[in-house]
């Protein structure tokens, strides 16, 4: 339940923990990255355990194993940590990453907005915080700016066709949840 509806992902409490995953992708990969065309991804999510649950959200290759990323740009959080990192991956090689430690704080059962934009001029702009989306009248819009930037002009961006992906891994032998209020991807043509 939620205004407009929400997606609830629930892991079971099975072992091995590496396969205790709940995830969603589009049926057909549908987005390519470009140095010259704008590409964007955004989501609003919350997890039941800021420390133990792991998640990957962003654009990655079509896969049944969303915690083995070979291509894409995504936000990842490992089990045992509350730190979110954004990754740029091509051919199983991490081209660049940026930790959001000290920039945003992940808390149990609390929504956080995560977004990135390839701006078509060689920059990956990263946005993270609470309530980045929605009506912004009478608010300080300076807090809505990017929290990090990665220069991708010299990097090898994957040529793989990517899928919007939300993935949760329990990280422990107890069930975890991830709730998504929304997620999207867009590309300039």
């Amino acid at each position: 339940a939620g205004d407009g509806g929400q997606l609830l992902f629930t892991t079971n409490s099975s072992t091995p923990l590496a396969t205790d995953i709940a995830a969603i992708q589009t049926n057909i990969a549908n987005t390519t990255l470009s140095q010259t065309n704008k590409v964007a991804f955004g989501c609003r999510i919350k997890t039941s355990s800021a420390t133990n649950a792991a998640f990957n959200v962003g654009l990655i290759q079509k896969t049944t194993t969303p915690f083995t990323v070979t291509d894409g740009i995504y936000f990842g959080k490992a089990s045992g940590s509350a730190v979110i990192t954004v990754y740029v991956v091509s051919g199983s090689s991490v081209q660049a990453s940026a930790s959001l430690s000290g920039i945003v704080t992940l808390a149990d059962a609390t929504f956080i907005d995560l977004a990135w934009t390839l701006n078509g001029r060689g920059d990956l702009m990263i946005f993270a915080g609470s309530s980045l989306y929605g009506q912004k009248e009478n608010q300080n819009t300076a807090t809505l700016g990017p929290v990090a930037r990665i220069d991708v002009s010299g990097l090898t961006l994957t040529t793989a066709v990517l899928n919007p992906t939300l993935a949760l891994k329990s990280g422990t032998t107890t069930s975890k949840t991830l709730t998504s209020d929304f997620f999207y991807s867009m590309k300039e043509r």
Side-chain angles (χ1 to χ4, degrees):
D3 189 15
Q6 297 175 347
L7 294 173
L8 176 64
F9 299 81
T10 305
T11 64
N12 57 32
S13 54
S14 70
T15 54
L17 303 177
T19 60
D20 192 5
I21 295 170
I24 189 170
Q25 283 190 318
T26 55
N27 286 336
I28 299 170
N30 57 24
T31 304
T32 56
L33 301 179
S34 171
Q35 292 280 7
T36 57
N37 294 74
K38 296 176 185 173
V39 182
F41 172 86
C43 66
R44 177 174 290 157
I45 60 171
K46 67 180 175 181
T47 182
S48 58
S49 175
T51 301
N52 290 322
F55 65 75
N56 284 346
V57 296
L59 291 176
I60 67 170
Q61 80 282 355
K62 184 165 179 60
T63 182
T64 58
T65 56
F67 288 89
T68 304
V69 179
T70 60
D71 295 286
I73 301 176
Y74 68 99
F75 293 94
K77 191 203 82 64
S79 180
S81 170
V83 175
I84 301 169
T85 303
V86 65
Y87 297 93
V88 179
V89 181
S90 180
S92 298
S93 174
V94 175
Q95 298 289 308
S97 64
S99 170
L100 302 184
S101 177
I103 297 171
V104 293
T105 303
L106 191 62
D108 292 356
T110 303
F111 277 115
I112 187 167
D113 295 346
L114 301 170
W116 58 258
T117 302
L118 277 172
N119 67 5
R121 295 185 304 271
D123 294 311
L124 175 67
M125 309 303 280
I126 300 136
F127 302 84
S130 61
S131 302
L132 296 180
Y133 298 90
Q135 188 174 13
K136 299 298 175 202
E137 292 177 19
N138 303 319
Q139 290 190 17
N140 179 0
T141 56
T143 61
L144 301 177
V147 296
R149 176 188 155 288
I150 297 174
D151 179 358
V152 295
S153 59
L155 301 181
T156 301
L157 294 179
T158 183
T159 58
V161 184
L162 306 173
N163 286 37
T165 303
L166 299 176
L168 167 71
K169 184 165 42 172
S170 67
T172 67
T173 57
T174 60
S175 179
K176 302 293 182 300
T177 64
L178 179 129
T179 304
S180 175
D181 188 22
F182 60 83
F183 71 107
Y184 68 88
S185 67
M186 296 181 283
K187 181 179 178 183
E188 180 179 62
R189 296 190 184 235

